[in-house]
Amino acid sequence: MDIAALRDAHPDHWMKATAIRTLTLDAVAAANSGHSGMPMGMADVATVLFEKHLNFDPKVPNWPDRDRFILSAGHGSMLLYALMYLTGYEDITLQQIKDFRQWGAKTAGHPEYGHARGIETTTGPLGQGIANSVGFAIAEEIQRAHWGSKIVNHHTYVIAGDGCLMEGVSHEAIGLAGMQKLGHLVVFWDNNNITIDGTVDMSDLSDQPARFAAAGWHVQSIDGHDPKAIDAAIIAAKADPRPSMIACKTHIALGHAAQDTSKGHGALTNAEQLAAAKTAYGAPMGAFEVADDVLAQWQAIGARGAETRKDWETRFAALSAGKQAEFNRAYAGDAPKKLAATIRALKKQISESAPSVATRKSSEMTLEVINPIMPETIGGSADLTGSNNTKTGDMGVFHPDDRKGRYIYYGIREHGMAAAMNGMALHGGARAYGGTFMCFTDYARGAMRLSALMGVPVTYVMTHDSIGLGEDGPTHQPVEHLAMLRATPNTHVFRPADTIETAEAWECALTSKTTPSVLALSRQNLPTVRTTHTNKNLTAQGGYVLADADGKRQAIIMATGSEVEIALAARDLLQADGIGTRVVSMPCWELFEEQDETYRRKVLPAGPVRVAVEAGIRFGWDRWLFGERGKREKSGFVGMHGFGASAPAERLYQEFGITAAEVAAKVKSLIK
């Protein structure tokens, strides 16, 4: 590659792009770790995007109608950090660049949402960023239809690499975006033909442009180092009604000795080679130095967005006070004031009528009263709408012909759905929820983990939560999934016992601002176990006394979900034999653990034997059986110890010994 020719052809552009490259080289060398090659290769694309197209204001990074920039190839994080520093984002100072990848720095190894304003999403696990971007674009379309283009009208831009496009989640995202004709989504493919192991053709021969075109995208192929070609491609992409993919042919680690090699992907730390690259660039300056005139040009690019942002604020101020308040409420993530009263009214109705319904149906009943008062909810299902019960009558279906619709048919794309929901939440102004079978949290796991890591309050409606789904058998019967989800930090896992607990769980989920929620819901009908109405949200306490002992308390039975009715029936058997038994419903362990110790001691006092019953594996239950003032020799578990089987649910519960009689027998065996 003739670096001198590139430099001489577009000298002003070249020096601005060079600032990204040299800051990358210096930061990675100082950290002695990182990924130099991608920022060096994509610096030209990023420079043109930020200079000529991206609407942003570094001084007000989160203004709602900004364009979103997502670095899906998150290993190249120095590209983003360099851009943020150069354009004047206050959170990314030169010292932060110098502290790249160090303890306490906002410049983490991969971009992390929440570390610095201007980082739109956490990326690094490849494919997640491009999948998030679909959610960003969906949220923008829905809000533009609702609020009008004067209030919501922006684009989402993504840089994705070969690795992003190899990950399976990218296929799900690309297919969904193409079908939905998300015309405000533009993806730049860093086509450098290099992975860690070597050239791409060692592992993949996909014709990526043809793949995108087959999914309904507008596709262009350009020289990723030609600023005029880059600019023209972005203009064409914005003019097309389809989502756009711009294949940018680039050279990884451009201008370095490691250019076009797998070594160029990672940390380039050799001092002599670094100095030689800077000399070739025409910028033989010291570490972390950027020429004053170049820095001034970048700062002017950053300052340009203030006028655009102020124009938007003027248009927003023309809205009525009520509309402004509603917009701001949704973007703040606040639930409407009506929510608590709406949930209380539903609970009162249910406690009086005491229906026997599956908690998946309970969830639908709750959504029927929630969705009309929360216009920011966006629901969906991975091809299981009728089974997940996630669609309510008022929502309408989001489609290219109806942008006001708030329900999405995701197709069989669990991972893509979860990643898109993250994008909607991160976009702002949206409360996303989506459903699939509990067992397929396996397929959604990568994005669910990032929900927790980023602290975005999406809600996962996971139905068919145990062997209780019956005849579909062990391939569809989750047994280890509750333990896996509960082991994930910053995740609230709700397994409600009836409609009242389900409604309370939804209230918890929709008032959370920093924690995703998983609702584990039954296929089989369950009785109403809370027949006495209380305004208080007991599920918010995580665990509570559902039925106390008559007489001396000798046993405590803990249960969740569909096994709470079994615990209550076991209590009846034990009480008939004079054994005073308390039943504790524990719909959310995480919230119970957050309660003060006095409350937990009150619910789980020392002394009585303890038995837990749940149609899942035991893993995790010991925390409550003997880790909380219990005793190992006085505790037991009734549940699953392996995979399920194909048979009617009632037969499965009998065969696996998850019955009231077995629970009562376990209690008796522990009482001495």
Side-chain angles (χ1 to χ4, degrees), residues 39-61:
M40 296 165 70
M42 285 298 282
D44 294 303
V45 171
T47 298
V48 174
L49 175 64
F50 272 65
E51 180 176 14
K52 297 182 179 298
H53 296 279
L54 196 74
N55 286 320
F56 70 108
D57 183 357
K59 303 305 179 186
V60 187

Side-chain angles (χ1 to χ4, degrees), residues 283-330:
M285 304 179 71
F288 301 104
E289 292 182 3
V290 177
D292 290 343
D293 62 326
V294 174
L295 183 58
Q297 291 179 61
W298 270 114
Q299 290 172 341
I301 291 170
R304 183 196 65 221
E307 183 176 348
T308 304
R309 188 255 308 166
K310 289 175 183 176
D311 287 344
W312 177 85
E313 290 175 346
T314 299
R315 296 193 300 274
F316 184 74
L319 294 176
S320 68
K323 287 185 177 180
Q324 289 185 49
E326 181 68 9
F327 186 95
N328 289 332
R329 179 193 64 76

Side-chain angles (χ1 to χ4, degrees), residues 558 586 589 592-593 597 600-601 604-612 618 620-636:
M558 298 174 283
M586 298 189 68
W589 291 9
F592 185 64
E593 191 164 9
E597 186 175 5
R600 298 201 313 272
R601 282 178 178 272
L604 296 177
V609 301
R610 297 183 187 181
V611 171
R618 175 172 178 154
W621 270 107
D622 289 354
R623 165 75 169 85
W624 311 112
L625 285 170
F626 53 80
E628 190 90 356
R629 294 168 302 282
K631 293 184 178 180
R632 186 184 295 270
E633 65 275 13
K634 296 178 68 177
S635 66

Side-chain angles (χ1 to χ4, degrees), residues 643-658:
F643 293 109
S646 178
E650 296 82 0
R651 181 65 181 271
L652 291 171
Y653 272 84
Q654 290 291 331
E655 292 293 337
F656 287 107
I658 307 175

Side-chain angles (χ1 to χ4, degrees), residues 56-80:
F56 70 108
D57 183 357
K59 303 305 179 186
V60 187
N62 296 330
W63 69 284
D65 202 34
R66 69 192 180 279
D67 288 337
R68 272 67 168 178
F69 172 64
I70 296 171
L71 186 66
S72 188
H75 56 277
S77 57
M78 266 308 303
L79 176 72
L80 177 57

Side-chain angles (χ1 to χ4, degrees), residues 258-563:
Q259 178 182 309
D260 298 329
T261 69
S262 58
K263 180 177 173 56
H265 170 87
L268 304 179
T269 59
N270 180 280
E272 292 181 0
Q273 293 177 348
L274 189 156
K278 285 188 176 184
T279 298
Y281 294 155
M285 304 179 71
F288 301 104
E289 292 182 3
V290 177
D292 290 343
D293 62 326
V294 174
L295 183 58
Q297 291 179 61
W298 270 114
Q299 290 172 341
I301 291 170
R304 183 196 65 221
E307 183 176 348
T308 304
R309 188 255 308 166
K310 289 175 183 176
D311 287 344
W312 177 85
E313 290 175 346
T314 299
R315 296 193 300 274
F316 184 74
L319 294 176
S320 68
K323 287 185 177 180
Q324 289 185 49
E326 181 68 9
F327 186 95
N328 289 332
R329 179 193 64 76
Y331 266 81
D334 295 329
K337 293 179 180 179
K338 293 180 180 178
L339 180 63
T342 300
I343 295 295
R344 286 197 300 269
L346 177 63
K347 286 167 54 179
K348 189 173 189 302
Q349 173 194 332
I350 295 300
S351 65
E352 292 171 352
S353 59
S356 179
V357 297
T359 50
R360 60 174 175 156
K361 178 64 176 178
S362 303
S363 175
E364 180 185 38
M365 294 161 64
T366 307
L367 288 170
E368 288 280 8
V369 300
I370 287 172
N371 282 331
I373 67 168
M374 292 191 71
E376 68 269 30
T377 57
I378 302 175
S381 169
D383 200 51
L384 290 166
T385 295
S387 293
N388 299 149
N389 298 81
T390 39
K391 185 176 184 293
T392 60
D394 66 300
M395 299 189 82
V397 175
F398 178 76
H399 187 270
D401 298 327
D402 183 9
R403 292 313 201 191
K404 290 186 177 180
R406 293 157 49 209
Y407 190 81
I408 299 169
Y409 291 117
Y410 284 103
I412 304 91
R413 298 184 177 105
E414 296 90 352
H415 200 177
M417 175 183 71
M421 289 196 296
N422 282 342
M424 293 174 204
L426 292 163
H427 176 278
R431 278 278 178 174
Y433 70 85
T436 186
F437 286 176
M438 181 78 170
C439 194
F440 302 136
T441 52
D442 288 339
Y443 286 174
R445 168 66 178 162
M448 294 179 74
R449 182 175 186 269
L450 285 176
S451 301
L453 180 61
M454 291 188 285
V456 290
V458 299
T459 303
Y460 295 98
V461 182
M462 300 302 188
T463 69
H464 298 59
D465 70 339
S466 72
I467 59 170
L469 69 88
E471 292 86 344
D472 275 343
T475 59
H476 285 51
Q477 293 166 0
V479 292
E480 76 275 30
H481 298 73
L482 283 168
M484 175 266 288
L485 291 164
R486 287 167 177 161
T488 305
N490 193 41
T491 299
H492 288 162
V493 183
F494 295 94
R495 190 163 186 253
D498 65 2
T499 303
I500 291 176
E501 283 193 356
T502 304
E504 291 179 338
W506 266 112
E507 183 179 18
C508 292
L510 294 174
T511 53
S512 171
K513 289 191 176 184
T514 57
T515 303
S517 299
V518 179
L519 273 61
L521 305 172
S522 74
R523 175 182 185 265
Q524 71 274 33
N525 288 346
L526 302 178
T528 299
V529 298
R530 293 256 299 274
T531 54
T532 300
H533 174 67
T534 175
N535 284 335
K536 188 174 185 179
N537 186 325
L538 300 182
T539 297
Q541 297 174 295
Y544 62 94
V545 177
L546 177 61
D548 214 344
D550 292 333
K552 181 182 178 183
R553 183 169 55 237
Q554 299 180 67
I556 298 174
I557 303 174
M558 298 174 283
T560 71
S562 47
E563 287 69 69

